[in-house]
Amino acid sequence: MESGTAAFEGSNPVNDEMAFQVEELLSKIAREVEYEFFNATFNDGTDGNPREMRGIDEWVASGNGSSTFDNQVSSADTALDFDAVAEILKAMYDNGAPMQNPVLFARPGSILDLNQGLAASGNAQMAVLPRDRNVAGVDIDSIITPFGNIGLVVNEFVPASKAFVLDLSYLDVCFLNIPGKGAVFVEDTDNDDAAAISKRVYMEIGLDKGPAEYHGVITGVI
């Protein structure tokens, strides 16, 4: 019997319900973690609430512990354009960023504005190129700039009015090891009779962002 017709012939195409549910939950968690990487508000857990990482937006807003975040330019409440991208790359370069693998992360509307602006310029040397690589599961296009080709990613979780240039060579996902359990594990939600069927996936995850001067933010994007 072909697997594609199993459900129509009365058999269950899911051979392991627990594995199926865990796989579906991990897909949902992956989306939530992606959102948190940009938007999470730090909490160390001392107030009784769950521990939470510091998202990129809060990290930039806090100046990474200083009064201001060095690599920051304003789009002056206009659509994202090539000039703003070039300006933030120059700021990063001037502050000593190694520019190993810089990638522009922006919302869908901002990427559309950028692409339309490049097309309207009539300059064939400036263009968004089709995606040709995948880094840690992220499909990456390219954009040609005076500082070389940089990556370009459409991401709906980027906070409104902002775009980020993040050097992926210096971002690292970190997991907290829970003694006796590991970093990611499935456990019972309770100790009563329902524990046999009531489970949860547990992990504590964070993002090591590396030196602040290796990244940049464009504000005032509409």
Side-chain angles (χ1 to χ4, degrees), residues 8-39:
F8 295 100
E9 297 185 9
S11 61
N12 190 345
V14 178
N15 296 319
D16 186 330
E17 182 65 28
M18 177 62 73
F20 174 74
Q21 293 293 340
V22 169
E23 183 178 359
E24 291 296 299
L25 181 56
L26 287 175
S27 295
K28 179 176 181 292
I29 289 173
R31 295 282 291 169
E32 293 175 348
V33 169
E34 187 177 1
Y35 173 86
E36 293 291 303
F37 279 163
F38 284 104
N39 299 285

Side-chain angles (χ1 to χ4, degrees), residues 132-143:
D132 58 357
R133 59 193 172 118
N134 183 290
V135 177
V138 178
D139 289 323
I140 300 179
D141 297 326
S142 297
I143 179 172

Side-chain angles (χ1 to χ4, degrees), residues 65-138:
S66 62
S67 58
T68 59
F69 190 83
D70 289 337
N71 298 333
Q72 186 167 190
V73 301
S74 175
S75 188
D77 295 326
T78 61
L80 183 64
D81 60 17
F82 183 82
D83 288 343
V85 175
E87 187 178 350
I88 190 59
L89 292 175
K90 180 180 184 302
M92 293 168 62
Y93 183 85
D94 289 344
N95 283 318
M99 312 287 276
Q100 292 291 317
N101 190 14
V103 175
L104 173 66
F105 287 81
R107 297 172 67 87
S110 296
I111 296 298
L112 180 61
D113 290 335
L114 176 62
N115 195 43
Q116 289 177 335
L118 293 175
S121 71
N123 188 339
Q125 300 302 312
M126 299 189 299
V128 175
L129 306 179
R131 63 190 57 178
D132 58 357
R133 59 193 172 118
N134 183 290
V135 177
V138 178

